[in-house]
Every structure is written in structure tokens, then in C-alpha cells.
Amino acid sequence: MISRAIVFSLHVAVWWLPLLFAFLGARVVDVKAAGVYDPCVDDDTVNFKKSFTIGLAYFPNGTVDDWGDLNPCDDEHRTKLKDKGVAISSFRVNVDEMALLRTPRQDEDGLMKSQSATLLSVVAYARGVRSIPRVIRVKNAYPRREQDFEGKYGRVSSLSLLTRFDEGKLEDLQWENVGCGACSSDQCLHVGINATDSRNADYSCMLQNDRDCESSFTPDCVSNATCPIPDGSKAALQCQTSILMAFSGTDGKSRVLNTGSSLGDLAKHSVSDAFAEAEL
């Protein structure tokens, strides 16, 4: 069973309604003051079926190298991330249940637009642990597109994330990419290195040449019903990044966490399709 993560904004908790938090003044304080809803809080070991908070941090115009060792859970680093326009989204999930994490396309688009960004990257983080970065959007205007991405541009529709625990303590957040077996070479984007596991692929399938996404969901095309991609459709889910998350290792009572063993097989299928089915 794949569950939908509960997403917490500064004010309310609802199904699939995350709010991007810029690293700005009071908003950062509010996030830190949110107790168990703050991904950085590490107050106890996790246990089977109990709640766990995971964060995603989005870096407009931030390459893999730009991230360096910057960690949203470090106070000094948070100030630097604030200055770089990084924004976060927080999710509440159940331990050892697969979860689908997704930030609204409108928020991703808005973040890109507010920073005049031509590239977007993301890290997962929780309890002081941070994943390596992943590139999820490259625009045609990105100045190093030829050198860094073989001239390709588009949006990565899905990623897979494995959380590793040892006796209930978070040890690692590891991307479990399965490569580009499900798409052609011209739809295969280099999304970043795999520093923690050489078996994983450095590439993910993307929605190639995302002009349909760029021209859809505007007020004019919505009012005239002329959008290339209807809002709320299965195809619309490919215009944003969906992350399939699972668990491995042991919980605080030494029980084995099993969902990670199925992650590779599920990741070979369309995460967007899984989202559509979960929404039904």
C-alpha cells in the first residue's frame, strides 16, 4: 500500500496541500518552533507505523556543486540558504509505509519565477541528515545547458528516496534512481552523482522539452479550455516532481523496516501513475 503523506504548512495540516517556506525571518522561526512538524527535530528513535517528518529543500539556480555541504538543519547554513532563495516543504509520513511526496506545481513554478531561475535542484533532509542533491528542472535558457546536460532540458517527473535507520536512528537519506530504462536517451537527464552507493544510476527520465507545461495552467488557456495539458490530469502530474519514499534498516525496537525492498521495482513504474491512482 502506498500512502499519501500528510503535509504541514505553518498554519494547518491537510492532504496534499504543502506550502513552500522561504528561509525568511519569522517563517524560519515558526518552522523551528513547530515541534515534531520540523524535519530537523531529533527527539526520539522512530518506531514502526509511528509518524516521521521529512523535508525537501528547493534551490533555484542551485547546481549540485552549489549545495556543497549546506544543510537546512544547520543554523549557520540556514542563513546562507535564505540568502540564496532556497525554500522548503515539510511532510509527515508513517514509518515503514511507502509515501508519495509532492510539492504543488504552482509552488515550484512560483519559486522558479521569483528567482528568475533556469535550473532547480532539491535535497531531502531530516534530523540533521541531508541527502545529496538532485537536479529536477533545467530550462532551455540555462547558460551551461550544453556543457552540463548535453543540451537537454525539461522536468524530472519522479525520483525515489530510501531512508535508512539503525535502531530507530536516521543514518542516511539516499536517492534510489533506477536510470533511464523507461525512456529514450534524449529524455534521460544527468541529475547528479551518487556519492553513497555506486550501484545507483546518475540519470532519471524527464519530461523532454516541457513547453506544454510552460504554456498550460495559465488563466487564459484555463478560461478558454485550450491548455495543452488539462489541470488535474494524469499528464499534469508530470509537470512537477513526485518522490516515492520508503524505509529500510531497523526501528527503535529492532524491528526490520521492509518497504525499502520494494522501492526499486515500484520506481521502474510511473510515479505519476501511482499518484493518479492514490488520488482516486
Side-chain angles (χ1 to χ4, degrees):
M1 176 183 177
I2 301 176
S3 64
R4 295 176 295 173
I6 301 176
V7 184
F8 289 86
S9 73
L10 286 176
H11 307 291
V12 295
V14 293
W15 292 105
W16 291 124
L17 189 62
L19 174 68
L20 282 176
F21 303 123
F23 280 119
L24 297 172
R27 286 191 171 182
V28 174
V29 173
D30 285 345
V31 171
K32 288 179 64 113
V36 295
Y37 308 131
D38 178 3
C40 297
V41 171
D42 187 5
D43 56 356
D44 200 359
T45 58
V46 303
N47 283 300
F48 184 68
K49 299 298 183 182
K50 298 299 183 180
S51 295
F52 172 74
T53 304
I54 184 81
L56 300 176
Y58 298 86
F59 193 165
N61 283 329
T63 66
V64 170
D65 291 338
D66 289 336
W67 275 101
D69 63 353
L70 292 173
N71 189 325
C73 288
D74 182 285
D75 288 339
E76 182 178 345
H77 291 180
R78 187 180 289 110
T79 300
K80 295 178 180 179
L81 292 169
K82 163 194 166 182
D83 294 340
K84 294 177 183 292
V86 171
I88 68 171
S89 193
S90 180
F91 302 81
R92 191 79 168 149
V93 302
N94 292 328
V95 174
D96 213 28
E97 289 184 5
M98 281 199 171
L100 288 162
L101 314 179
R102 186 184 71 192
T103 299
R105 170 191 45 75
Q106 296 92 329
D107 285 351
E108 289 186 16
D109 290 347
L111 179 62
M112 294 279 285
K113 184 176 181 180
S114 68
Q115 301 294 323
S116 300
T118 55
L119 179 140
L120 184 65
S121 59
V122 65
V123 299
Y125 70 99
R127 303 186 176 214
V129 178
R130 197 212 75 181
S131 73
I132 57 178
R134 280 286 176 264
V135 173
I136 57 173
R137 288 198 190 185
V138 180
K139 287 193 172 186
N140 187 32
Y142 177 63
R144 290 185 52 84
R145 183 165 57 86
E146 293 293 336
Q147 302 96 310
D148 296 350
F149 300 103
E150 300 176 323
K152 301 172 187 175
Y153 63 99
R155 307 183 184 206
V156 174
S157 297
S158 62
L159 293 171
S160 300
L161 179 69
L162 182 65
T163 58
R164 296 184 179 275
F165 290 85
D166 182 15
E167 299 297 316
K169 290 292 185 180
L170 181 62
E171 296 288 323
D172 196 11
L173 294 168
Q174 181 177 317
W175 298 112
E176 288 284 314
N177 296 59
V178 295
C180 293
C183 58
S184 61
S185 60
D186 57 357
Q187 293 176 299
C188 189
L189 187 72
H190 184 255
V191 293
I193 61 171
N194 279 287
T196 56
D197 190 341
S198 61
R199 296 173 301 171
N200 293 338
D202 297 345
Y203 295 83
S204 289
C205 292
M206 66 174 177
L207 183 64
Q208 180 192 22
N209 188 352
D210 61 348
R211 289 175 184 165
D212 283 350
C213 291
E214 295 287 353
S215 58
S216 293
F217 322 118
T218 62
D220 287 343
C221 81
V222 170
S223 61
N224 298 322
T226 57
C227 297
I229 301 175
D231 197 9
S233 67
K234 184 183 295 186
L237 293 177
Q238 295 182 330
C239 292
Q240 63 205 87
T241 302
S242 303
I243 296 175
L244 180 62
M245 173 183 165
F247 295 78
S248 68
T250 54
D251 75 354
K253 296 182 179 179
S254 300
R255 291 172 293 197
V256 176
L257 304 176
N258 293 308
T259 51
S261 61
S262 303
L263 188 61
D265 290 336
L266 282 172
K268 294 176 184 177
H269 303 284
S270 171
V271 173
S272 295
D273 287 348
F275 258 117
E277 292 169 6
E279 291 287 286
L280 296 178

